[in-house]
Every structure is written in C-alpha cells, then in structure tokens.
C-alpha cells in the first residue's frame, strides 16, 4: 500500500471543465474520446458504452481515461447510426443542452454530469492512460458521484477561491477513483504490469528530458545517453517498463504539447508543429488527426464546441 501512496503523491491533478447536460436527442458516438480524463455521471435515462453496449445504471459513473476511445450512446438509441467524435463535437448542441442541478430533478429528458480533468505523473505522464486501464463503470460508489456533483457546483459559482476548491475536489476525485480500483481489485494485471515505471529513476529521467526537449532531437541515441544504457537496448528497456516503444511515447507527448499550445496560444498550426518537433506541417496535421480524430484547427475551437451553452 505504501507503493500506491507514493504513486498518488506523484500525480499532479488539474480540473479542466464540468457541465450538466440534458440529452435532447439520443446519439451514438463510435469513437468518443478526449485528450484528458472524462467522468460521466448518469442522473437519469440511458447511457451505454463499448462495442457490446454495456449499460450504466442511474447514479453510476462511466470513466474514460485520457486518450482511450469507446463507443458511447447517450440516451435510448433506437436506430444504430453512429457519429464520429468529430461529427458529434461539431453538432453537440443538437444532442446535448446545459442544465442546472435544480432543473435535473424536474427534467423529462435523460440527464448527465460530465467532468474533464488532467492527472499526470511528475507532471509528465498521463497517469490513467499509462496504466493501460480501459473505459469502465464505477458502480455502487455514491462518494465519487457526490464529488463529481460538488466539482460542477463549485465551477458554476462566481466566488473567491473557486479554482483552489475545484483543484482540491478534483484531487479527491482522483484518489477515490484509485481507491475504488484497488478496493474492487479491478485491472489487477494492468496495474502490476504497467505501474513498474514509478520505481525506476532512469525512466523518470527520460520522461523529464523528453518533456523539456519536446521539439528537439529525441532519438534513441539521445535517450540512451540520458538513461545511461546502450543505444541498442534503450528501446527494449523503455518498452519493458512502459509497454510502449519510446518513439510512440514521444509522439504522444508531442501531440499533447501541441494540444496545450492550441488551447493557450495564438500561434499558427505551422509554428506549433515546429515547436513540438515536426518540420513538415502536412505530416504533423495528418498525424494529429489520426491520433485525435479531428484536425488541429478544430481542436483549437474545441473549448467552444464542448462547452455547450
């Protein structure tokens, strides 16, 4: 248990956004995903996920780790007509409308609360994604449901200190999700296999070097020097501890850095691509769309698309 305490201590948490929605029109999204972690609390109605159409009961929470894709159906979908995640975001107002907690009790439509948050190890590695945890339902946990509601209630207020309170509540959310996983012995194999990197300081050195030099030379030759292992072995060493090869991890980190720049700067797509290590803008755009399912330009407008009024 002491090991997991150290793991939790190493995870930096940030609240991103939260909203209540009523489902005006049922919709199935074939590749629902987000660059950060998503929890969806079902208040009333129907919510399903996965190719098998696994159901979420009222009061339960669907958790989708950052970067994981899943078929998600909002409402009682009678005819199977899947939208892509891109098409869903482009037309979100057609399906979901924001609603207050006060109005949820009287609403006839299906209602959900959605919260997005960041959880990164040493401010570098996307925690839940790195563990290899798939989307799953958090069942029989009123405490987590209450925390999700409290996060959104706090974010809706215009009071001093709400950012601090939202951060503390989101940290509590992450801790309770980890506790739920451990208590119910979920994903035992994934946790035992994919959490070993926390114990290796050389790997953490590589993580930090990659983050600080995201636009530079991150070849295996360079990483081998950072970790003080041979160039021939560094790829095998990295994959043994993380279950992915270093160049795939580097591309994921470059794309995450690009998303952050798209959200927070007015730099051109071309300049952002160069800043995160892509000299060829066309190649950067192709890889970006392949990873996130929508073009970089649309990702820049994502905040306004997601925060449905």
């Amino acid at each position: 248990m002491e090991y997991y305490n150290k793991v939790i201590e190493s995870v930096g948490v940030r609240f991103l956004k939260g909203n209540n929605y009523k489902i005006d029109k049922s919709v199935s999204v074939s590749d629902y995903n987000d660059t950060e972690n998503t929890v969806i609390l079902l208040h009333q109605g129907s919510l399903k996920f996965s190719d098998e159409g696994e159901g979420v009961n009222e009061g339960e929470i669907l958790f989708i780790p950052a970067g994981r894709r899943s078929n998600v159906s909002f409402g009682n979908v009678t005819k199977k007509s899947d939208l892509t995640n891109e098409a869903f975001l482009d037309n979100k107002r057609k399906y979901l409308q924001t609603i207050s907690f006060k109005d949820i009790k009287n609403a006839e439509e299906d209602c959900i609360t959605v919260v997005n948050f960041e959880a990164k190890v040493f401010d570098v590695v996307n925690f839940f994604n790195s563990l290899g945890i798939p989307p799953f339902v958090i069942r029989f946990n009123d405490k987590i449901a209450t925390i999700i509601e409290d996060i959104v209630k706090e974010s809706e207020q215009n009071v001093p200190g709400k950012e601090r309170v939202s951060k503390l509540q989101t940290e509590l959310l992450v801790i309770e999700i980890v506790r739920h996983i451990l208590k119910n012995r979920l994903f035992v194999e994934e946790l035992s296999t994919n959490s070993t990197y926390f114990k290796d300081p050389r790997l953490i050195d590589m993580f930090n070097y990659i983050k600080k030099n995201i636009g530079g030379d991150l070849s295996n030759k360079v990483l081998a020097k950072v970790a003080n292992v041979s160039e021939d072995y560094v790829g095998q060493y990295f994959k043994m501890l993380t279950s992915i090869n270093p160049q795939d991890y580097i591309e994921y980190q470059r794309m995450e850095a690009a998303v952050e720049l798209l959200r927070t700067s007015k730099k051109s797509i071309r300049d952002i691509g160069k800043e995160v290590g892509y000299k060829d803008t066309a190649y950067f755009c192709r890889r970006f769309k392949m990873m996130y399912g929508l073009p970089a330009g649309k990702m820049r407008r994502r905040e306004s698309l997601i925060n449905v009024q």
Side-chain angles (χ1 to χ4, degrees), residues 205-206 209 219-231 234:
D205 287 343
M206 279 197 281
Y209 184 87
S219 62
N220 281 6
K221 182 177 181 180
V222 171
L223 296 181
K225 289 181 180 179
V226 173
N228 196 27
V229 297
S230 72
E231 183 180 350
V234 69

Side-chain angles (χ1 to χ4, degrees), residues 15-50:
F15 167 71
L16 297 176
K17 52 188 168 285
N19 274 307
N20 302 311
Y21 298 109
K22 64 177 181 179
I23 301 171
D24 272 355
K25 183 178 180 181
S26 299
V27 61
S28 181
V29 185
S30 61
D31 58 342
Y32 186 91
N33 69 92
D34 200 286
T35 55
E36 300 302 342
N37 306 285
T38 303
V39 285
I40 306 174
L41 168 62
L42 178 64
H43 294 284
Q44 59 194 42
S46 176
L47 177 67
K48 296 181 180 180
F49 77 106
S50 79

Side-chain angles (χ1 to χ4, degrees), residues 174-226:
V174 170
I175 291 169
E176 290 299 333
I177 291 173
V178 173
R179 286 177 175 176
H180 181 88
I181 290 170
L182 295 176
K183 180 181 179 181
N184 293 279
R185 296 190 58 77
L186 304 175
F187 317 115
V188 174
E189 184 176 343
E190 287 90 340
L191 288 174
S192 62
T193 302
N194 298 332
S195 64
T196 53
Y197 65 82
F198 289 102
K199 302 177 182 178
D200 196 306
R202 292 177 298 177
L203 191 62
I204 300 303
D205 287 343
M206 279 197 281
F207 287 155
N208 286 322
Y209 184 87
I210 290 167
K211 182 179 181 181
K212 292 176 182 177
N213 299 275
I214 198 67
D217 182 1
L218 294 174
S219 62
N220 281 6
K221 182 177 181 180
V222 171
L223 296 181
K225 289 181 180 179
V226 173

Side-chain angles (χ1 to χ4, degrees), residues 23 25-32 46-53 70-89 95-96:
I23 301 171
K25 183 178 180 181
S26 299
V27 61
S28 181
V29 185
S30 61
D31 58 342
Y32 186 91
S46 176
L47 177 67
K48 296 181 180 180
F49 77 106
S50 79
D51 292 339
E52 292 73 33
S70 181
N71 188 314
V72 177
S73 296
F74 299 92
N76 187 18
V77 180
T78 53
K79 287 187 177 180
K80 194 71 171 178
S81 181
D82 290 351
L83 292 181
T84 64
N85 197 53
E86 181 180 359
F88 173 64
L89 292 176
Y95 303 101
L96 306 182

